[in-house]
Structures are given as structure tokens and as C-alpha cells.
Amino acid sequence: MLLKIENGRYYSIMRFTVILFFFLILLFGGYDISRGSELQRAAAAYKEGDYDTALQIFIPLAEKGDMFAQFNLAKMYRKGRGIPKDYKTAVKWFTLSAEKGNAKAQYHLGVAHSFGLGVVPDYKIALKWFNRSAEQGNTFSQYHLSRLFYLGNGVKEDKVYAHMWANLASSSGFEMAQQLRQLLTEKMTSHQIERAQELARECFKKNYKGC
């Protein structure tokens, strides 16, 4: 089917739609493209040790609500890269990024609340953030959930669930998770191990959601 335009030329509706689509991307998507480019430039500067340039880019983007800039800025505060080390400020930016769904930021928040880095230690809060991150497939958060269930920190001690999370984290080859799974296996009955393995399979099928 053809569509007539003012100068008398004809375009197929499909071709016209494609042209319109890319025009809208250029018109309304320019900020996202620019932001992505800026983030790449900041990441490259950080990798090269040019922390001043990285901060100059990350700070305004973070203040505008970009969760990736917020996460990277938090890391710079936590490590003291180009700026004085400040765990409290790191937690602030990790939190803002984590609330937007950044799994890595959620993991770092779990660590902060587990070990009292910039906050008062609170295993229940750590459990919440590790769980949100683990549901997105973050191996390190799955490992830490296993530890919390094994030690009974922030949650009732449960070797079956500890084994389940250690098993899931081990699937990516994470050695510490494999060691924890082995330790748990030695302390569990065959029935408990069978149940833990069943839960792990079910959790994997659910894409780690609601485990």
C-alpha cells in the first residue's frame, strides 16, 4: 500500500513507518544516547585512574537520578577513589540505586548492613537487600543469603535453605559457595539434602523469584 506525500512522491506505509520510528528515536531518545556515552567516558576515566574526570561526570548524572551513575559514585565513596572515603555517603548512593532495581547496588547494601559499613549492623535489612539482588540472579547475594540462613543471622537458622542458596550460587562456579555447600552437606541428613536440591530446582525454574 502506498502513501502520497506533498511533493508527489510515493512511499510504502512500511517505509514511512520506519522513517518515522527513527525520527522519533533521534528526537526523544537523544538524552539517553548522550547519557550512555557520558557513562562510558566516566567508566573509561575511572579505569585509567582519572578519578576527577569520572566524578565530574558521575555526580551530575547521579543527582539527576541515573542508577548506574549513583552506583559508581557510591563505589568511589566506599573505596575513596578521588574523594575521601565515606561509607555513609556510599550507603546513600547505593540505596538510591538499589531502590531503582540495581542488583549490584542491592548486594553492596546487603554487605553494608551485614558488617556495619556506614550504618548500624542489621541482618534483617541485609537479608532484604540480598534477597532482592538474589532474585535477579546475583551470585554473591545468593551466597550471602546462604550464610545468613546457615548462621541464623536476621532469619531463623535453616540448613535446607542455606544449602539451596549455596547450591544456586555454586552453579556459576563461585568457589566460596561451593565450599559452603560442601560444609552444609556434611552437617545435613540425606533427606535434608534431597529437599534442598528440590527447592533449588524449583527456585531456578521460577527464575529465583519467590524462593
Side-chain angles (χ1 to χ4, degrees):
M1 185 174 179
L2 300 178
L3 180 71
K4 186 176 181 179
I5 56 177
E6 288 185 0
N7 63 4
R9 296 173 63 189
Y10 288 84
Y11 283 91
S12 69
I13 287 180
M14 181 62 71
R15 184 179 179 186
F16 181 79
T17 301
V18 170
I19 292 172
L20 179 61
F21 174 74
F22 282 105
F23 172 75
L24 291 174
I25 287 178
L26 291 173
L27 181 62
F28 297 108
Y31 172 72
D32 288 338
I33 294 172
S34 175
R35 181 179 61 184
S37 177
E38 285 294 281
L39 286 171
Q40 290 179 356
R41 191 162 70 89
Y46 180 89
K47 186 176 181 179
E48 294 172 1
D50 185 359
Y51 302 129
D52 288 341
T53 297
L55 284 169
Q56 288 173 9
I57 298 171
F58 283 141
I59 289 175
L61 290 177
E63 290 174 343
K64 290 178 181 178
D66 185 282
M67 70 174 179
F68 301 109
Q70 290 169 341
F71 171 70
N72 283 288
L73 183 58
K75 286 201 306 180
M76 295 187 76
Y77 272 108
R78 181 174 62 82
K79 296 180 178 181
R81 297 286 192 264
I83 202 166
K85 184 179 293 186
D86 187 334
Y87 287 122
K88 287 185 178 181
T89 303
V91 166
K92 166 193 167 183
W93 289 112
F94 276 137
T95 301
L96 290 170
S97 183
E99 288 173 344
K100 292 182 175 67
N102 188 316
K104 291 182 179 180
Q106 292 166 347
Y107 160 71
H108 281 285
L109 267 187
V111 171
H113 285 284
S114 288
F115 299 101
L117 302 176
V119 292
V120 176
D122 190 322
Y123 289 118
K124 289 186 177 181
I125 296 177
L127 182 76
K128 177 187 76 172
W129 288 115
F130 282 140
N131 191 63
R132 290 188 185 182
S133 178
E135 286 187 339
Q136 297 190 64
N138 186 284
T139 297
F140 301 112
S141 289
Q142 292 171 347
Y143 165 73
H144 278 278
L145 277 180
S146 177
R147 289 183 66 255
L148 293 180
F149 275 106
Y150 172 49
L151 299 171
N153 290 335
V155 68
K156 183 179 179 180
E157 181 183 336
D158 192 324
K159 290 185 178 65
V160 171
Y161 273 91
H163 189 286
M164 179 196 79
W165 283 116
N167 201 13
L168 291 167
S170 296
S171 64
S172 65
F174 186 29
E175 186 175 352
M176 291 178 68
Q178 293 172 345
Q179 292 172 351
L180 179 55
R181 181 182 60 184
Q182 180 60 36
L183 174 65
L184 287 161
T185 299
E186 294 171 359
K187 296 176 179 292
M188 296 166 66
T189 66
S190 58
H191 176 72
Q192 287 177 317
I193 295 171
E194 184 179 344
R195 177 57 179 158
Q197 292 173 338
E198 180 184 356
L199 288 172
R201 288 192 292 270
E202 292 175 356
C203 185
F204 180 77
K205 288 179 181 178
K206 294 189 294 186
N207 199 27
Y208 311 115
K209 303 293 192 299
C211 301

